[in-house]
Amino acid sequence: MKKLPKEFQEVIHSIKFDRLGSIKPQQEIKNIDRGLIYVRLIFDLSAEIKQDDWQLTIQPAFIPDFNWAPHITPGEKNIIDQHVFRSPAMIVTDNKQGLAVIPDINIMKNGTSTRWYMDMIASENKLIIGMSETLVSGHVIYERKEGAVYPKGRVEFGFYLMKYTDKGDLENPFRRPLKFFWTNWGKRLFEEGNPVKGDLEPYVDYTYNWAFNTWKDAVWQEFMLGDKKVGAPVFIVNTTQSPNYPGRINEREFRSIWNQAWFSSLRSASGLYRYARRKGDKELLNKALLSKELALATPMKEGFFYGLIGTEMETVETEGKQYNRSKGWDTYYWGNSNRNPYTWDARKSPFHILDMSWTATLMLRWYEELEKDERLLEYTRKYADALLKKQDAKGFFPGWLDLETLEPMEYLNDSPETSMSVTFLLKLYELTKIEKYRSSALRAIDAVCKEIVPVGRWEDFETYWSCCRLGTPEWVGKKVERNNMYKQCNFSIFWTAEALLESYRITKNKEYLKLGQRTLDEMLMTQTVWQPPYIYVNAVGGFGVMNADG
């Protein structure tokens, strides 16, 4: 590699790159700004070249204690495919310096003959960017694949190197790359009207028409619990439940209504309430109120409450085919989300603190913003008093509680799922002025600030017990060694950013605000700031889910 500017020689030990076939590239190095250079390699090919892998390896001149990349690559065959180049960067820092490697989006915007990738091998202190065809393995990580072809002509590859030395940049290593992405790509696209021009109301109208009109027989569930009428949208519908489907109905999931951090009928109802009030639609307002009644009807066990109500199911055979059907709401039972480490049976699933704190938060928001139904405040106070008894010595709240003993179980007992309980308790404190809720919440957020935020340990139920079971359970609480990163999910990043904002609002402690900005910035590193030519819908503004999923 050509000689780097002196300031980059302090943070980069070496840069090495392959040839394409026997062809050496022309090299360009430009100073862009203080602490920012651009490197471009240009291959002039006199004939087509077939080469499965081409890579450039950057060896930092320091040993990082913090690593970040948009995806994990747990094995040697894994790479970070361009599919997840949303705000693409690899970042490494210690307490004195930092380095970010950013692929050149402008080259990619014009299309490339071979897919680009990154790979961060923290165990060898290597940052790799390259070109290779890829395949998807698991749900969802990427591997190199044979078959890359470079046509005759000009092949360009480029990237930026960003150096950190300022204390503020090291405390929040995401802010400078985000500013760079926004300034160069995101701002212009946003000003042009991306991702959506104008008012979102037509999308809202369409959604509610779908749920409560064209698909209402499949979506809307209404029934009696004793002498109380309740209702809510069903958990999940599928194609066979469409009014236009020519075949027989086959329900994918057990028929159920959830009040859980993923699927929340009370969240849906609070939006429906606002929409109905705005439109003057009494029928939809009544549906929202029926969903509130269902949430309040959920039975408690010593202050803890269930996350779903389901029906018994049966398999019906017709013309040699089997179909999954509900036995109806007369067969209802209470249960909890089966996306957990312990059982797929919702009846046996343990109480999930996260789900209860989320639902309780929505109850308080309903009470504060929609209607002063005192039952909501009473219900959440019972839960809060039970919750406080489960806080551990560090300040964390446990993940799951045994259905019978109500004792904490094995997993996520010191995780950022705690942040959701912080937001709940601070809102309850605001509404009641009872100090114990505030002091418990601040103990909890301090634990998250100390043990979660600095190392990016963004582990929650979706990280391990959803579609992507990679690393379950052996990675829980442990870094992926090859990457020096935890398997992460955006859910707990968002909850923590929200909790830190609320902690700042209550205390005016600017440390919470600073850590909240860092947390939110980490999540924004998974937001798409450009329009990849290989994604055929408008992707600008869209977020990824986690660093082991596409």
Side-chain angles (χ1 to χ4, degrees):
M1 189 84 205
K2 277 186 176 180
K3 198 169 185 182
L4 295 172
K6 185 176 179 182
E7 64 172 324
F8 278 87
Q9 293 174 29
E10 297 169 0
V11 292
I12 295 176
H13 176 264
S14 65
I15 299 179
K16 298 178 180 178
F17 52 82
D18 298 337
R19 299 184 181 197
L20 269 182
S22 61
I23 307 299
K24 278 183 167 181
Q26 303 169 46
Q27 303 174 41
E28 295 179 4
I29 299 176
K30 289 184 184 177
N31 273 300
I32 305 296
D33 201 350
R34 175 178 164 268
L36 181 67
I37 61 174
Y38 176 67
V39 179
R40 181 165 63 159
L41 305 179
I42 302 169
F43 296 89
D44 287 314
L45 305 184
S46 58
E48 178 184 274
I49 289 177
K50 295 179 180 180
Q51 182 171 318
D52 290 335
D53 188 33
W54 177 89
Q55 60 182 242
L56 178 147
T57 302
I58 300 166
Q59 185 103 43
F62 62 97
I63 304 300
D65 53 30
F66 178 81
N67 294 68
W68 189 91
H71 230 58
I72 54 170
T73 56
E76 291 182 6
K77 62 186 178 181
N78 296 124
I79 53 178
I80 304 167
D81 180 65
Q82 66 183 28
H83 182 79
V84 295
F85 280 24
R86 301 177 180 104
S87 294
M90 293 180 287
I91 300 171
V92 291
T93 67
D94 65 10
N95 62 358
K96 293 181 180 178
Q97 64 245 307
L99 176 68
V101 181
I102 298 172
D104 183 3
I105 287 172
N106 283 329
I107 294 176
M108 299 185 72
K109 278 171 62 179
N110 296 323
T112 59
S113 57
T114 301
R115 298 180 75 85
W116 287 22
Y117 71 84
M118 300 187 289
D119 189 14
M120 184 174 68
I121 312 176
S123 55
E124 300 176 15
N125 199 19
K126 290 179 180 178
L127 303 171
I128 296 172
I129 47 179
M131 297 182 284
S132 170
E133 295 305 312
T134 59
L135 58 87
V136 175
S137 63
H139 183 105
V140 173
I141 57 174
Y142 303 93
E143 300 178 15
R144 289 181 188 82
K145 186 176 77 169
E146 296 176 353
V149 177
Y150 300 87
K152 176 183 175 180
R154 184 183 175 103
V155 174
E156 290 187 56
F157 192 89
F159 59 95
Y160 297 87
L161 294 171
M162 184 179 286
K163 179 191 173 186
Y164 303 174
T165 51
D166 293 347
K167 182 173 180 286
D169 292 337
L170 294 170
E171 288 176 345
N172 180 356
F174 310 109
R175 177 54 58 98
R176 275 190 68 202
L178 285 172
K179 183 179 180 181
F180 179 73
F181 284 124
W182 177 252
T183 301
N184 287 282
W185 295 285
K187 183 174 184 288
R188 180 179 59 80
L189 288 169
F190 179 73
E191 288 172 348
E192 290 173 357
N194 285 290
V196 178
K197 289 183 181 178
D199 193 353
L200 290 175
E201 194 78 3
Y203 296 88
V204 180
D205 293 339
Y206 186 93
T207 301
Y208 286 136
N209 182 62
W210 173 84
F212 301 114
N213 183 18
T214 58
W215 277 53
K216 64 181 179 180
D217 292 339
V219 172
W220 181 250
Q221 309 292 305
E222 190 172 301
F223 51 96
M224 299 297 293
L225 288 177
D227 59 357
K228 179 181 285 190
K229 183 190 286 187
V230 298
V234 77
F235 169 39
I236 280 178
V237 293
N238 64 16
T239 307
T240 71
Q241 293 170 272
S242 166
N244 302 316
Y245 185 71
R248 300 179 185 277
I249 292 174
N250 186 31
E251 297 185 47
R252 183 192 119 177
E253 303 272 349
F254 63 100
R255 190 176 298 182
S256 51
I257 296 165
W258 292 38
N259 269 316
Q260 180 254 357
W262 248 357
F263 303 102
S264 173
S265 66
L266 192 61
R267 176 183 54 198
S268 298
S270 66
L272 185 62
Y273 187 106
R274 289 171 170 83
Y275 178 81
R277 184 172 59 184
R278 191 165 72 247
K279 297 287 189 179
D281 191 321
K282 292 182 179 179
E283 183 180 347
L284 291 182
L285 186 66
N286 182 59
K287 282 180 162 58
L289 292 171
L290 289 176
S291 296
K292 180 194 71 171
E293 292 302 327
L294 176 59
L296 285 168
T298 306
M300 281 186 160
K301 183 173 183 178
E302 297 180 32
F304 300 106
F305 58 94
Y306 295 93
L308 64 81
I309 184 171
T311 73
E312 300 291 348
M313 302 295 289
E314 62 183 347
T315 302
V316 177
E317 187 167 319
T318 305
E319 297 176 356
K321 293 183 178 179
Q322 293 187 333
Y323 301 90
N324 197 36
R325 301 280 173 81
S326 168
K327 289 186 175 182
W329 285 105
D330 289 342
T331 66
Y332 79 85
Y333 59 86
W334 297 96
N336 291 300
S337 166
N338 59 2
R339 271 58 169 187
N340 65 69
Y342 309 105
T343 176
W344 274 103
D345 188 341
R347 296 172 189 78
K348 298 176 182 177
S349 293
F351 291 113
H352 192 189
I353 294 288
L354 168 75
D355 294 345
M356 292 182 283
S357 290
W358 170 230
T359 300
T361 302
L362 290 171
M363 287 182 170
L364 294 180
R365 288 174 180 166
W366 192 297
Y367 176 84
E368 182 180 40
E369 300 170 17
L370 301 182
E371 52 168 357
K372 291 286 188 289
D373 186 334
E374 294 296 329
R375 296 175 301 163
L376 295 166
L377 204 56
E378 181 184 354
Y379 194 95
T380 56
R381 280 192 60 183
K382 286 180 182 175
Y383 166 62
D385 291 342
L387 176 65
L388 262 54
K389 296 174 185 176
K390 299 299 180 183
Q391 191 167 22
D392 71 12
K394 289 182 178 179
F396 287 103
F397 295 104
W400 286 270
L401 302 180
D402 184 273
L403 210 52
E404 300 303 322
T405 67
L406 301 181
E407 289 302 310
M409 299 177 76
E410 184 177 357
Y411 295 106
L412 299 190
N413 291 324
D414 60 351
S415 83
E417 286 193 348
T418 284
S419 299
M420 188 71 250
S421 294
V422 172
T423 300
F424 161 61
L425 290 169
L426 289 178
K427 179 55 65 178
L428 187 58
Y429 163 74
E430 271 196 285
L431 294 172
T432 65
K433 301 306 178 189
I434 296 174
E435 175 59 29
K436 66 179 180 179
Y437 301 136
R438 178 184 182 275
S439 59
S440 173
L442 295 180
R443 280 182 57 219
I445 197 61
D446 288 346
V448 172
C449 290
K450 181 181 178 181
E451 298 199 12
I452 305 297
V453 177
V455 294
R457 183 154 63 92
W458 303 116
E459 298 176 305
D460 52 61
F461 77 95
E462 185 170 20
T463 316
Y464 294 106
W465 295 286
S466 171
C467 308
C468 180
R469 299 297 177 109
L470 182 70
T472 306
E474 61 270 18
W475 290 354
V476 180
K478 302 182 184 72
K479 287 183 176 180
V480 177
E481 185 177 347
R482 189 172 183 271
N483 305 135
N484 191 36
M485 286 182 69
Y486 292 93
K487 191 183 178 193
Q488 301 172 334
C489 183
N490 276 8
F491 246 160
S492 50
I493 305 179
F494 174 80
W495 298 324
T496 301
E498 183 179 45
L500 284 162
L501 178 61
E502 294 306 307
S503 299
Y504 168 71
R505 281 204 321 109
I506 292 292
T507 67
K508 299 298 183 274
N509 181 343
K510 290 188 176 179
E511 190 64 23
Y512 292 136
L513 188 63
K514 185 168 73 173
L515 285 173
Q517 288 171 332
R518 175 200 160 110
T519 301
L520 189 60
D521 284 348
E522 183 166 3
M523 190 173 79
L524 289 169
M525 291 297 297
T526 69
Q527 187 180 33
T528 307
V529 295
W530 64 300
Q531 180 55 51
Y534 45 82
I535 291 179
Y536 305 112
V537 295
N538 189 344
V540 177
F543 281 84
V545 177
M546 58 184 178
N547 64 3
D549 201 321

